[in-house]
Amino acid sequence: MVTPAYIVPVLACLLLHFGLGYRGEWQTYMWVFVCGEATVGLLHWAFYRQRTSATEYLGSMVCSVHYEEDWVELVTRIETRTDSRGRSYTVRKVDRIYHPEKYYYYTNIGSCYDTNSDFYSYIGELWGLPSRRDKWMGHDIEYGVRFGSHYTIEDFENGEAEDPYYCVPVTEAHRYKNKIRHSNSIFKYEKIDKERACDMGLIEYPPVDELDTPCILSDDYDVPAEAQEMFQKFNVLHAACCEMRLWVLLYRADRGVGVSEYQRAFWQGGHKNEFVVCIGVGTDGGVDWARVFSWADDQTKEVETARWLMDNPQFEWLEFYNWLAGHIVGWRRKEFCDFDYINVSLPLWQCLMISAVSVVENALVIKMLL
């Protein structure tokens, strides 16, 4: 459906030459054609990328937190001036650029994020480590030196860094190509809008609040804070090792096990790294039904997890944590490059927009040349 937009620059060249009698160099026609095709191609690429781009969430943890004092940067520039006799001379100027103090932290996968003094102090108190002093020297620094400090998890000894107590989980967004959601392939799920999802008791993805996001989700039950914190750390300490993102969804058992399939459709199958545990909680607080889904080619871990929940209906969260930590080893997320053969077409409004932009652009070029 985008093809007509690619024809517009050709038609513009023909109209310019045969319809309007323009007689320019061949390079001019080539310029009109190339610029027109480039505009269409760029818009086509941008819309296609937007249609096939999705966001998955990765579990990471804070591995260092840093503070830098405010400082002044000296930037030298040379100005050329002219005196009253018309002779040129140069003047050396030094600009002073102020940099306010800043706080930031690094995660164990190398990402860097800004933070504040409260978080810096919190990490220092949690880890109980001495801060390391930092010093930077250079000619571009006023007085030649500036200072800072940081805490790093590498200063722990005797394996203390692996203690979950010191783990500060972080949820990081990562873009990847998902050609299923906007395709007409057999893998595409039924589309469920938010209003219908609310009526059915389906759960939306939670927003990332400050550093992290909860991974035990429910609109029917209050989740114990201890369990929530425990499984947020699970996504860092265990799930991340096999590129997994764990979600545990709790429903009233009377919604029926079929709600898990509607949930899967609402989330369009979930993201490629997700392992979604759906649990129907009975009136006695136990497990009435369990269903687990993911995109993984091998569904053994999903079946084993659902079976364990059914065999242990009155489980404690710590018990489930320990069992899951020992049984997800070997789980492999789906490689979505396996779906590269799927064709994704743009919606009509995007195709019309590309064509309209192409027509307007070529009309302006023709007007400029005449």
Side-chain angles (χ1 to χ4, degrees):
M1 296 175 66
V2 187
T3 303
Y6 284 98
I7 300 176
V8 171
V10 178
L11 297 178
C13 291
L14 295 176
L15 176 64
L16 189 63
H17 186 79
F18 296 105
L20 301 176
Y22 177 79
R23 295 295 182 270
E25 298 292 332
W26 68 269
Q27 293 93 335
T28 303
Y29 295 102
M30 181 61 68
W31 175 77
V32 173
F33 173 77
V34 170
C35 290
E37 294 293 331
T39 299
V40 173
L42 182 62
L43 288 173
H44 189 182
W45 172 82
F47 282 135
Y48 182 82
R49 188 172 185 273
Q50 179 265 330
R51 294 274 288 177
T52 59
S53 182
T55 302
E56 64 177 346
Y57 295 98
L58 309 178
S60 63
M61 60 184 287
V62 176
C63 64
S64 65
V65 61
H66 302 254
Y67 163 65
E68 294 183 11
E69 294 181 357
D70 58 336
W71 62 290
V72 175
E73 181 181 6
L74 304 178
V75 179
T76 303
R77 57 187 174 86
I78 304 297
E79 287 186 357
T80 301
R81 297 181 180 179
T82 304
D83 62 16
S84 58
R85 298 182 179 181
R87 292 178 298 187
S88 296
Y89 65 98
T90 59
V91 177
R92 182 174 176 270
K93 288 279 189 178
V94 178
D95 294 327
R96 302 171 76 254
I97 302 175
Y98 176 73
H99 294 271
E101 64 178 12
K102 68 175 182 177
Y103 297 86
Y104 55 95
Y105 65 90
Y106 284 98
T107 67
N108 61 329
I109 59 177
S111 304
C112 181
Y113 300 96
D114 291 332
T115 187
N116 53 44
S117 59
D118 291 339
F119 184 73
Y120 181 86
S121 299
Y122 165 72
I123 293 295
E125 293 174 6
L126 175 68
W127 290 353
L129 296 170
S131 64
R132 290 191 178 187
R133 296 290 295 170
D134 297 314
K135 182 169 71 172
W136 297 269
M137 304 182 69
H139 297 295
D140 60 338
I141 303 172
E142 189 174 43
Y143 309 123
V145 63
R146 62 187 182 94
F147 300 95
S149 60
H150 71 275
Y151 296 100
T152 175
I153 205 167
E154 294 177 356
D155 286 343
F156 279 111
E157 298 178 354
N158 304 320
E160 285 185 287
E162 299 176 5
D163 188 333
Y165 176 78
Y166 300 115
C167 172
V168 180
V170 179
T171 292
E172 301 191 48
H174 175 257
R175 304 293 288 179
Y176 73 100
K177 185 190 292 185
N178 186 331
K179 299 181 73 173
I180 294 175
R181 296 191 170 199
H182 295 290
S183 71
N184 293 317
S185 72
I186 61 173
F187 300 104
K188 185 180 178 181
Y189 287 88
E190 170 192 5
K191 249 195 169 177
I192 300 177
D193 59 36
K194 291 188 177 181
E195 183 177 353
R196 184 182 168 202
C198 183
D199 293 338
M200 298 172 68
L202 304 182
I203 299 171
E204 294 193 52
Y205 281 110
V208 176
D209 182 17
E210 295 181 355
L211 299 179
D212 203 10
T213 185
C215 65
I216 305 177
L217 310 176
S218 180
D219 292 332
D220 298 325
Y221 299 98
D222 292 327
V223 179
E226 299 80 5
Q228 193 69 264
E229 181 181 355
M230 186 190 310
F231 278 88
Q232 284 177 250
K233 293 182 178 182
F234 179 94
N235 270 326
V236 178
L237 301 174
H238 300 287
C241 298
C242 51
E243 300 181 309
M244 173 194 289
R245 177 73 184 186
L246 173 72
W247 299 106
V248 181
L249 313 184
L250 306 180
Y251 308 90
R252 294 198 320 265
D254 59 9
R255 295 190 185 277
V257 68
V259 73
S260 63
E261 290 304 315
Y262 287 115
Q263 182 69 56
R264 190 174 191 174
F266 182 48
W267 282 6
Q268 289 296 292
H271 293 294
K272 66 178 183 177
N273 67 334
E274 292 179 351
F275 189 90
V276 185
V277 180
C278 301
I279 301 174
V281 182
T283 55
D284 62 349
V287 177
D288 272 24
W289 53 261
R291 182 71 61 83
V292 183
F293 65 82
S294 76
W295 280 102
D297 292 321
D298 183 356
Q299 292 283 303
T300 302
K301 304 298 182 182
E302 288 77 355
V303 173
E304 289 178 351
T305 303
R307 184 184 300 127
W308 185 89
L309 288 166
M310 293 303 296
D311 292 341
N312 299 270
Q314 299 295 334
F315 73 89
E316 297 290 338
W317 285 110
L318 180 57
E319 183 183 4
F320 182 44
Y321 178 101
N322 291 330
W323 182 88
L324 198 58
H327 285 77
I328 63 168
V329 178
W331 185 85
R332 292 291 178 268
R333 65 170 172 79
K334 177 68 175 176
E335 296 292 345
F336 266 44
C337 60
D338 294 346
F339 298 121
D340 280 350
Y341 66 89
I342 293 176
N343 292 320
V344 177
S345 57
L346 300 185
L348 179 60
W349 72 269
Q350 289 184 339
C351 294
L352 293 176
M353 179 179 289
I354 294 174
S355 297
V357 170
S358 182
V359 168
V360 171
E361 178 197 32
N362 283 278
L364 292 175
V365 169
I366 290 174
K367 182 179 180 181
M368 181 179 66
L369 291 175
L370 294 178

